[in-house]
Amino acid sequence: MDFLTGHIIRGKYVVVKALGQGSSAKVYECEDMQTRKHYAVKVVKKAYQSEESSIMKKLSHPNIPMLKDFHEEGHLRYMIMEMCKGQTLQSHLEKGKKFEESEAAVAMQNIMTALEVQTFFLYVI
């Protein structure tokens, strides 16, 4: 059990379980205690300077999870985002999944349009 499991964020979300970890953040599943809807919550230490939350607030793209809420508490920042269900592209590749050319083309188009939107906000706005 992770130390944040069961933690209540902003009196509204309860942390359900750990989902994964990157170099600068951990991601958990949380539940809105009123609506029972599940979200992903990215937890970053305040010492790690990032403009990610301000950029995420402005992004709107079907292939980028939308930022629902943001909260700072103690030495941590919480970014509550849409939950993405299913397998990652990486997990499919690690399992040896073969993609048809048409499937790969659609996946790459989705990835490229999401990157295009992110790049626009990072360098233009």
Side-chain angles (χ1 to χ4, degrees), residues 1-2 4-5 15-21 26-29:
M1 181 154 102
D2 195 279
L4 279 181
T5 301
V15 177
V16 177
K17 65 181 178 181
L19 295 176
Q21 181 173 340
K26 288 187 177 182
V27 179
Y28 298 86
E29 181 175 346

Side-chain angles (χ1 to χ4, degrees), residues 1-2 4 10 15 40 48 51 62 66 72 75-76 105 114 125:
M1 181 154 102
D2 195 279
L4 279 181
R10 192 178 239 178
V15 177
Y48 179 75
E51 295 180 28
M66 186 170 284
E72 290 188 1
H75 68 284
L76 299 175
I125 294 179

Side-chain angles (χ1 to χ4, degrees), residues 8-9 11-14 31-37:
I8 296 175
I9 303 166
K12 184 174 181 176
Y13 308 96
V14 62
E31 179 182 45
D32 184 312
M33 296 187 303
Q34 282 187 319
T35 66
R36 299 290 188 221
K37 188 168 181 186

Side-chain angles (χ1 to χ4, degrees), residues 66-84:
M66 186 170 284
L67 182 67
K68 167 118 174 94
D69 204 349
F70 179 80
H71 181 64
E72 290 188 1
E73 181 181 307
H75 68 284
L76 299 175
R77 290 186 174 127
Y78 301 89
M79 294 173 54
I80 290 81
M81 304 161 66
E82 287 179 311
M83 175 74 85
C84 297

Side-chain angles (χ1 to χ4, degrees), residues 79-97:
M79 294 173 54
I80 290 81
M81 304 161 66
E82 287 179 311
M83 175 74 85
C84 297
K85 296 283 187 180
Q87 299 290 316
T88 64
L89 178 58
Q90 180 178 349
S91 68
H92 282 299
L93 294 173
E94 287 172 351
K95 291 176 186 173
K97 177 164 174 39

